Amino acid sequence: MGIRVGTHQHRRQIVTVVETARASGERGSDFAKLSRRVAQAGLLDKRPGYYTARIGLVAGLFAGSWALFAAVGDSWWQVLVAVLLAVAFAQVTLLAHDLAHGQICRSRRTSRIAGLLVGNLAIGLGYGWWMDKHTRHHANPNHEDHDPDVSPEVLLWSDNQAGAARGLSRFIGRWQAFLFFPLLTLEALNLKVASFRGLRRESLKNRKAEGLLLVAHNVAYLGGVFLVLSPGKALVFLAVHLACYGIYLGCTFAPNHKGMPVLTAEDELDYLRRQVLTSRNVRGGHLINTALGGLNYQIEHHLFPSMPSANLRRAQPIVREYCESIGVDYAECGLVASWTQAMRHLHEVGRPLRVGRV
C-alpha cells in the first residue's frame, strides 16, 4: 500500500486528507493516542545493550578497514579496501545520525561530544551543521519551502521548482532521473565541503572545536592515504572511496522520502499526517535493516525520532495498524521498488523542461 507517484496525484490526495482530517475534528489528538500506545509498549526506552554491541561492531569494522589498508600497502588491491572503507564510513554515519536524535545517550552534552568525535573527527562530516539541517528536515519533511533536503540547488522535486528553475538545476532537471545515481558519486565530497562552509555560521555551537576536528580528520585521512600509496593510486583510492561512500548514503536516504508527496504552504497537515504521508518504509530482513541502520522503518522514525533504531521494527505493526484505523495511507515497498518510485518522480518533474513547457 502506498501513495501514488506523480505531483498532480499527490496534490489531489493531500487535499483529500486535509479535508477528511478537518471533518473529523480530531487532527490534534491522533498522534497523542498513538504515542500513548507506543510508550506503553516500552518502545521509547533506551537500549544500552544494543548500542554497546552495535558501536563495538562498527568500531571494529572502521578500525579493521584502516588496519587492512595499512597491511595491503602500495597496491591496486586498495581499490577493494576503498569500497570496504566506504561501508565502514557509512555505518559510522548512521551511528552519528542516532546520536543526533538522542537515541543512544540520555545526556545532550554527552551526545554532542560523541557526535563531534564520531562525525567531525572519524568521518569528516560537520556534526553541528548536519544536525541543524536534519532537524529542519524532520520538522517539515518534503516541504518545498522548509525542508533543506528538497531544496532545488541541483535536483528538482516539484512542479513549482521546475517552473522556477534556472541555470544548472534547469539543465540537469531535464534528465535528472538518469543523472541521480551518477551525481551520488559526488555526494560525500559535497557533504565534506558543506561541513566546512557551515563553519561560517555564527549561530553554530562549538565552531572552533568543529573546525579543528574537521581539519584533524582531513590531515590524517589525506596524509595517511598519500603516505601509504603512490600519488596515482592515492587519487584512485580517494575517488573510489568517496564515490562509494556517497552512493551508499544516497541509497540509504533516497528511499525514505523521494517520490512521496512534496508539500507546499497550502498543505495544513497535523504532525502525524505530515510525517506519515511524506515517508516510505522499505521492506526487507536483517540485511536491509543493518545496511540502512534502521532507517528502512522511516515512518516510525519520523514519528518518534528519539526512539532507538532497534525498537522501530517492534513499533511498526502498532503504527501501521493505527494508521489504517484512521484512514491514513501507510507507504511500504521493497528497496528496488522504492528507488524506482523515486526515479519516476524525478523523471515526471523534469518532463516540462524536456518538452519546453516552462
Side-chain angles (χ1 to χ4, degrees):
M1 182 179 184
I3 295 177
R4 293 168 292 178
V5 176
T7 56
H8 298 300
Q9 291 92 331
H10 288 167
R11 174 59 47 214
R12 287 197 297 270
Q13 185 174 39
I14 289 295
V15 169
T16 301
V17 170
V18 171
E19 291 175 347
T20 302
R22 285 174 175 167
S24 70
E26 299 181 356
R27 295 172 65 234
S29 64
D30 286 338
F31 177 70
K33 294 176 182 177
L34 174 61
S35 184
R36 283 194 293 270
R37 295 185 187 182
V38 169
Q40 289 170 0
L43 300 179
L44 298 179
D45 298 340
K46 301 299 182 187
R47 296 286 300 273
Y50 162 78
Y51 274 112
T52 297
R54 181 176 165 187
I55 290 171
L57 290 172
V58 172
L61 174 63
F62 186 78
S65 298
W66 280 118
L68 181 61
F69 170 81
V72 171
D74 189 19
S75 166
W76 285 110
W77 287 107
Q78 293 283 18
V79 172
L80 297 180
V81 179
V83 177
L84 176 64
L85 195 62
V87 174
F89 267 54
Q91 285 295 316
V92 173
T93 304
L94 292 170
L95 272 178
H97 168 272
D98 289 8
L99 277 168
H101 281 296
Q103 296 178 18
I104 301 177
C105 307
R106 296 184 183 279
S107 166
R108 289 186 179 182
R109 183 173 182 273
T110 302
S111 295
R112 177 170 288 277
I113 293 174
L116 290 174
L117 295 175
V118 171
N120 294 56
L121 184 60
I123 56 177
L125 298 185
Y127 178 79
W129 160 79
W130 181 86
M131 186 174 179
D132 174 73
K133 172 178 176 288
H134 196 61
T135 298
R136 287 185 284 128
H137 158 70
H138 266 264
N140 292 283
N142 261 26
H143 194 293
E144 65 178 13
D145 297 323
H146 304 303
D147 184 356
D149 288 351
V150 292
S151 62
E153 294 179 359
V154 178
L155 298 176
L156 307 173
W157 304 102
S158 70
D159 290 342
N160 291 337
Q161 291 180 352
R166 298 291 182 271
L168 180 62
S169 61
R170 185 179 183 88
F171 175 78
I172 292 178
R174 293 183 176 91
W175 307 105
Q176 58 184 7
F178 300 98
L179 297 173
F180 179 76
F181 286 104
L183 286 172
L184 285 183
T185 61
L186 302 174
E187 179 61 14
L189 181 61
N190 173 59
L191 290 173
K192 289 178 177 292
V193 171
S195 296
F196 276 101
R197 290 174 59 186
L199 296 174
R200 297 182 299 185
R201 295 175 46 198
E202 295 184 0
S203 61
L204 182 67
K205 296 180 179 179
N206 306 310
R207 278 201 301 168
K208 185 176 181 179
E210 292 231 8
L212 289 174
L213 290 173
L214 283 176
V215 170
H217 165 83
N218 283 284
V219 169
Y221 173 64
L222 295 174
V225 170
F226 280 97
L227 181 65
V228 171
L229 302 177
S230 62
K233 292 188 182 73
L235 291 175
V236 172
F237 179 91
L238 292 172
V240 172
H241 174 239
L242 291 176
C244 291
Y245 181 27
I247 291 173
Y248 192 135
L249 291 181
C251 290
T252 299
F253 290 97
N256 302 335
H257 302 283
K258 309 314 179 188
M260 299 303 290
V262 177
L263 306 180
T264 69
E266 301 174 4
D267 302 314
E268 300 178 6
L269 298 177
D270 65 316
Y271 176 80
L272 183 144
R273 289 167 177 81
R274 186 166 67 248
Q275 302 298 336
V276 174
L277 294 176
T278 59
S279 302
R280 178 197 297 113
N281 278 13
V282 177
R283 296 192 191 98
H286 292 296
L287 178 61
I288 292 295
N289 192 44
T290 300
L292 302 187
L295 294 181
N296 43 310
Y297 298 107
Q298 188 68 192
I299 294 174
E300 289 71 28
H301 170 60
H302 258 259
L303 287 170
F304 305 98
S306 64
M307 179 185 291
S309 58
N311 289 345
L312 295 172
R313 177 180 60 84
R314 295 168 56 198
Q316 184 190 31
I318 298 175
V319 174
R320 181 168 50 195
E321 179 183 354
Y322 184 77
C323 287
E324 290 175 353
S325 71
I326 62 175
V328 175
D329 278 353
Y330 184 99
E332 185 179 20
C333 64
L335 183 61
V336 174
S338 70
W339 292 337
T340 301
Q341 290 180 26
M343 295 308 101
R344 285 176 179 169
H345 176 75
L346 285 172
H347 197 58
E348 181 65 24
V349 170
R351 183 186 302 276
L353 297 176
R354 291 192 300 276
V355 299
R357 292 179 182 173
V358 294

